[in-house]
Amino acid sequence: MHRAPPRTHSLLLRTLACLLCALAAPATAGSAYVAQSHKVGSAGVIELRIVFRASDTAVPRVLTLHCDPPRGTMPQPAAACLKLRALGVDAFAPTPRGMGLCAQLYGGPMTALVTGVYEGRPVWTRLSRVDGCKIARWARVAFLLPPTAAAKPGRAPGS
């Protein structure tokens, strides 16, 4: 078996370390932005920005929601704040690992990106309707999203 000389191995490790640092820098910068621009760590704080797209080519619609006091560009922000608080800290929880069997339903091309602070914790979650698990996540917070014509799941394309 051919082994790289120690000098080449060291250079390879340093290059790999630099590459990992470069990849981690934007994530760290993004986290710093969230921490500076929102009240991360303050229990009960809800400050959300939701970017909704009806399709990949649709113009995005941006909604905001702030609680205490309820306000933002979202219709009925007070009702949205109450519903979010009722969901608890798992409102934006991802599909649990191990849930590999999701119904092959297609709910439409809509997507939403939710960012900000929820109950004092940073939020960055992407929602879609491409399978049964993702449709369930969408449905949990659908009151935050604009109503759509394709609100009911259907069969996956080609099935």
Side-chain angles (χ1 to χ4, degrees), residues 45-100:
V45 171
I46 297 176
E47 295 183 358
L48 299 176
R49 181 176 188 263
I50 300 144
V51 179
F52 171 83
R53 285 181 179 259
S55 70
D56 290 342
T57 58
V59 175
R61 181 172 172 190
V62 179
L63 300 169
T64 59
L65 176 65
H66 301 266
C67 299
D68 297 325
R71 65 195 186 285
T73 59
M74 175 169 300
Q76 302 178 346
C81 289
L82 286 173
K83 288 179 182 179
L84 268 176
R85 288 212 163 97
L87 289 175
V89 294
D90 293 328
F92 299 103
T95 301
R97 290 184 185 230
M99 290 287 296

Side-chain angles (χ1 to χ4, degrees), residues 14-27:
R14 279 186 275 149
T15 303
L16 183 58
C18 288
L19 179 60
L20 289 173
C21 288
L23 290 173

Side-chain angles (χ1 to χ4, degrees), residues 3-155:
R3 293 189 64 138
R7 182 178 172 95
T8 304
H9 183 64
S10 175
L11 179 62
L12 179 61
L13 286 176
R14 279 186 275 149
T15 303
L16 183 58
C18 288
L19 179 60
L20 289 173
C21 288
L23 290 173
T28 303
S31 297
Y33 170 76
V34 169
Q36 292 171 4
S37 64
H38 298 291
K39 298 171 186 168
V40 174
S42 300
V45 171
I46 297 176
E47 295 183 358
L48 299 176
R49 181 176 188 263
I50 300 144
V51 179
F52 171 83
R53 285 181 179 259
S55 70
D56 290 342
T57 58
V59 175
R61 181 172 172 190
V62 179
L63 300 169
T64 59
L65 176 65
H66 301 266
C67 299
D68 297 325
R71 65 195 186 285
T73 59
M74 175 169 300
Q76 302 178 346
C81 289
L82 286 173
K83 288 179 182 179
L84 268 176
R85 288 212 163 97
L87 289 175
V89 294
D90 293 328
F92 299 103
T95 301
R97 290 184 185 230
M99 290 287 296
L101 300 175
C102 296
Q104 294 303 301
L105 299 173
Y106 182 71
M110 296 80 65
T111 60
L113 177 64
V114 181
T115 58
V117 176
Y118 177 67
E119 295 294 345
R121 299 187 325 191
V123 170
W124 190 100
T125 191
R126 189 174 302 276
L127 302 169
S128 69
R129 298 177 52 86
V130 297
D131 65 33
C133 295
K134 290 182 175 58
I135 291 170
R137 283 187 76 216
W138 181 285
R140 187 168 48 217
V141 294
F143 60 90
L144 297 173
L145 307 168
T148 61
K152 294 183 181 170
R155 293 178 102 31

